[in-house]
Amino acid sequence: MQTAADAGDAATLLAAVPAGRRVALVDPRFVGHVHALRLGLTDPRFAAATVPGALTAQPEARGALLRALRRTTAAVGAGAPVVAPDTDPAPDDRTVPGRIAVALEAEGTAVKRPELGSLTATVPTDAGARATAESARDGVDDEAVRLRSAVKAHDGFFTTFAISPYSRYIARWCARRGLTPNQVTTASLITALIAAGAAATGTRGGYVAAGILLLVSFVLDCTDGQLARYSLQYSTMGAWLDATFDRAKEYAYYAGLAIGAVRGGDDVWVLALGAMVLQACRHVVDFSFNEANHDAVANTSPTAALSDKLDSVGWTVWARRMIVLPIGERWAMIAVLTALTTPRIVFYALLVGCALAACYTTAGRLLRSLTRRASRTDRAAQALADLADSGPLAQGVARVAPGLRGAFTAPAVALLGTLVMIGAALFLPYGSWLTVAAAAVYVLLSGLAVARPLKGALDWLVPPFFRAAEYVTILVLAARSDAPHAVPAAFGLVSAVAYHHYDTVYRIRGGTGAPPQWLVRTIGGHEGRTALVAVLAAVLTHTAGFTTALTALAVAVALVVLVESIRFWVSSSAPAVHDEGELA
C-alpha cells in the first residue's frame, strides 16, 4: 500500500505497478466496514468495481483507469490525497475514486457497484458526518452480514432450514484454514462417489451408509458456494467444477443404486436411465426458457404478475419451491428412501416426483409464454439455436430448405419429429429398418425446425423436444434390445451427451457462447447421434455388438467433449464466475 500526495501522484504510482496486478484507489477519509471494501475491491469477476470512496481495476481495465485518472486530475486538483493499495478496500462521485468511476463508465468500461445492504461505506466531509458514519458502522456487525450473505438468497426449503443454518459456519471454518471452494467441491464429489460405491454393494448396511454419505455430500455442496461467497473466491475452475459436479454426483449415484439392485436380484437400469433422462429434460426446459426470455423486450404477462403476487406470501413461496423438487429436497428424498427402502422404490419416487414437478414448471412457462407480449432478441435466438445442438445433417437441411416449414411453427415441427422418432422406437419391431427411416424423417424435421431464427413465443420448446427425442430413443432401443448390458451402456452414452449439453448451457451463461462448431460436428449433433443409434440397432439386432457399439460411442463422445471442456474452462477465455446453482 502506498499513499499518494494527490491525484497526479496517484497516476504515477499506479503506472509503476506491474501490468499483471490488480490496483485500487481508496480515499483516505473512507469510513465503513471491511466487508464493504472486500465486496468492492476483491471480487475477481469484474474488470472494475467501486463502492463509495474506493475503486479497483483488474489488469484488463488498468489502461482505462490511468486515462480516466489523468483526465480527472485537472478537475480534482492536488488537494485530495489518495491511497493506492494493490488488493484491498470503495466511490462517492464527489471523491477521486468516484469521479474516476464515472469517467470509466463514460469511456465504456463497465464498473460493478455491489449491493452493500446494511454495510457502511462513505467518505464524510466533516466531523459530524464522520461521527454519524462511525456510529452506523459500529452499529452493524459486518461479520454477521458476511455470514448471512454467504447463503443464497433464493434456495429450497430443505437447504434453507436444514443445511444453511450450520453449513455457513463450516464455510467460515474452511476460509479461516485456507481451504478453497474447489477443494470443498472436490470433497463433495468424492463423498458422493463413495456413497454410490456403498449403494453398489446391494446390502442394507451399504444403503444406509450411502444415504448418510449422500447427505454429507450435499452439505459440502452447499458449503463450497457459501465459502466462495464468504471469501469472494470465484474462479474459472470453480465455475466448471460447480456447474458439472452436481450432475456427475447425482447420476453416478443413480448408477450405484442400479448396480446394487442388480446384486440383489432386481434389474432397475431402465428406471435409473429413465430418472436421468427425465431430470436432464427438466433442466433443459428451465435453461431454454430462461435463455429465451432473460433479455426479452416488454417482458410482461398476467401469469408472471400472478406468480409475483404469490411470491409475496410467505407460505406460497416455500410451497412452490418444494413442488419443483429442487436439489435439496430431491437428494434428501433419495437419501432417506435409499436407507429405508429399495432402489426400485427410490427410482419410482424420483420418476413420479420429477414428472409432477416437470408438469408444474412446464405448464407455468407455457402460460407465461402464451400471455407474454415480448420481442425476443437475436442473442436469445442464437442461444436457443446453440441449445438445440443441431449437427451437420440438420444444419444441411436448414440451409437448403428454409422455406419448407410453411405455416408450421418451430416447436410444432420439432414435436412432430420427436413423436415420429420415439413412436418408431417404441412401436415398430425392434431392429426394423423402418426405425431408421423414421430417423431420417426426424433429421429432416429437425432441420426444418431450426431453419429460421427461434424467436417465436414457444420456440424455447425446441431444445427440450430434441433432448427428449435423443435420450428417450437411446433408452427405448437399449431397453428393447436383448443384448446383455445394453441399458448400462446406454446410461453411459446419455451421461456423456448430457455432459455436453450442460457444458453448453454454462458456457452460454458465462457470456462466452456455445462450444465450437467443430465439436458439435464431430459428435454428430442430436439428430446424427439419434440416427446412428437407430442404425446400430438395425444392424446389430439382438447381439452383444449393440452393447459394444453403444459403449464405444459413449467413450468417443465423452473423450471429445471432456477434453474440449477442460481446455476451455482452464483457459483465459473462460468466465470468472461461480454458478449459484439451480433450484431444480
Side-chain angles (χ1 to χ4, degrees):
M1 178 180 291
Q2 299 185 60
T3 302
D6 53 42
D9 189 27
T12 302
L13 292 173
L14 289 175
V17 176
R21 299 179 70 179
R22 177 208 297 267
V23 295
L25 292 171
V26 183
D27 193 297
R29 299 166 295 172
F30 174 85
V31 174
H33 290 100
V34 173
H35 192 51
L37 292 177
R38 190 182 291 113
L39 289 171
L41 303 184
T42 65
D43 195 325
R45 297 174 294 177
F46 310 110
T50 184
V51 294
L55 170 73
T56 187
Q58 296 270 37
E60 59 266 31
R62 285 273 304 276
L65 171 64
L66 282 173
R67 290 192 298 272
L69 180 57
R70 287 165 178 154
R71 287 198 307 271
T72 304
T73 299
V76 174
V82 187
V83 180
D86 122 61
T87 51
D88 256 5
D92 185 351
D93 291 349
R94 296 166 299 176
T95 66
V96 172
R99 290 173 182 267
I100 296 172
V102 172
L104 281 172
E105 290 172 322
E107 186 179 309
T109 300
V111 179
K112 174 66 176 179
R113 299 175 185 268
E115 292 290 336
L116 299 181
S118 59
L119 296 175
T120 297
T122 187
V123 178
T125 55
D126 55 49
R130 172 170 289 275
T132 300
E134 290 174 346
S135 176
R137 178 196 62 194
D138 296 342
V140 175
D141 183 351
D142 72 336
E143 178 60 20
V145 173
R146 188 182 183 189
L147 271 174
R148 287 197 303 271
S149 62
V151 178
K152 280 197 300 185
H154 304 288
D155 224 329
F157 183 88
F158 178 78
T159 304
T160 299
F161 295 104
I163 305 297
S164 293
Y166 57 88
S167 61
R168 70 184 75 182
Y169 295 101
I170 300 176
R172 182 171 67 181
W173 183 90
C174 292
R176 291 177 175 177
R177 282 152 184 80
L179 298 177
T180 67
N182 293 352
Q183 291 170 332
V184 178
T185 302
T186 303
S188 176
L189 174 66
I190 292 171
T191 304
L193 294 179
I194 296 173
T201 63
T203 64
R204 178 52 52 196
Y207 290 147
V208 172
I212 294 172
L213 288 171
L214 187 64
L215 288 177
V216 172
S217 175
F218 183 64
V219 171
L220 293 174
D221 183 56
C222 295
T223 300
D224 67 356
Q226 291 166 358
L227 174 59
R229 288 182 287 273
Y230 180 86
S231 56
L232 297 177
Q233 295 184 72
Y234 304 106
S235 68
T236 55
M237 180 64 73
W240 176 56
L241 295 178
D242 194 61
T244 57
F245 277 13
D246 277 354
R247 304 288 80 78
K249 288 180 288 190
E250 186 167 3
Y251 300 155
Y253 192 82
Y254 291 178
L257 280 175
I259 293 171
V262 170
R263 288 188 170 181
D266 187 16
D267 190 342
V268 297
W269 271 108
V270 170
L271 297 178
L273 180 50
M276 181 170 71
V277 168
L278 180 55
Q279 187 60 27
C281 289
R282 280 187 65 199
H283 279 137
V284 78
V285 167
D286 294 340
F287 297 146
S288 187
F289 178 81
N290 290 336
E291 288 301 324
N293 294 287
H294 88 283
D295 60 352
V297 179
N299 195 0
T300 60
S301 78
T303 308
L306 175 61
S307 178
D308 293 340
K309 186 175 181 180
L310 289 174
D311 279 343
S312 66
V313 182
W315 71 270
T316 62
V317 173
W318 297 116
R320 297 174 72 212
R321 291 185 188 178
M322 293 174 70
I323 287 173
V324 301
L325 200 64
I327 187 169
E329 277 77 355
R330 191 168 67 251
W331 282 29
M333 181 185 73
I334 294 171
V336 171
L337 291 179
T338 298
L340 300 180
T341 64
T342 66
R344 181 172 290 273
I345 293 176
V346 173
F347 287 124
Y348 281 153
L350 266 174
L351 288 167
V352 172
C354 289
L356 292 174
C359 290
Y360 170 78
T361 55
T362 304
R365 284 162 170 70
L366 286 170
L367 286 173
R368 288 190 182 205
S369 299
L370 292 172
T371 59
R372 173 176 283 153
R373 299 173 182 174
S375 175
R376 271 73 184 185
T377 64
D378 291 338
R379 181 209 171 279
Q382 183 59 54
L384 291 180
D386 292 334
L387 289 174
D389 192 33
S390 299
L393 297 178
Q395 290 176 357
V397 172
R399 281 194 296 270
V400 300
L404 294 183
R405 200 169 77 196
F408 294 100
T409 63
V413 175
L415 176 59
L416 178 60
T418 298
L419 293 176
V420 168
M421 190 67 251
I422 295 177
L426 275 171
F427 301 115
L428 290 176
Y430 177 79
S432 169
W433 283 95
L434 289 176
T435 305
V436 177
V441 173
Y442 175 67
V443 169
L444 175 63
L445 294 174
S446 297
L448 293 178
V450 297
R452 300 175 189 169
L454 298 175
K455 292 186 176 183
L458 296 178
D459 284 2
W460 57 270
L461 287 168
V462 171
F465 285 148
F466 288 163
R467 293 299 80 74
E470 179 180 5
Y471 296 167
V472 175
T473 297
I474 295 172
L475 166 62
V476 171
L477 292 178
R480 296 186 67 192
S481 169
D482 292 334
H485 311 301
V487 180
F491 189 98
L493 175 57
V494 173
S495 297
V497 174
Y499 177 88
H500 163 62
H501 291 145
Y502 283 114
D503 187 51
T504 300
V505 166
Y506 289 111
R507 292 198 199 198
I508 293 173
R509 280 184 165 185
T512 56
Q517 273 299 301
W518 70 259
L519 174 67
V520 177
R521 289 193 296 269
T522 300
I523 61 176
H526 70 92
E527 80 291 349
R529 291 186 298 269
T530 304
L532 177 59
V533 172
V535 171
L536 291 174
V539 173
L540 304 171
T541 307
H542 303 304
T543 69
F546 185 54
T547 299
T548 303
L550 288 180
T551 303
L553 182 58
V555 171
V557 171
L559 283 175
V560 173
V561 299
L562 278 173
V563 169
E564 162 57 22
S565 178
I566 293 171
R567 181 211 63 78
F568 169 78
W569 285 103
V570 301
S571 71
S572 58
S573 60
V577 299
H578 181 85
D579 179 63
E580 292 295 329
E582 293 297 313
L583 279 179

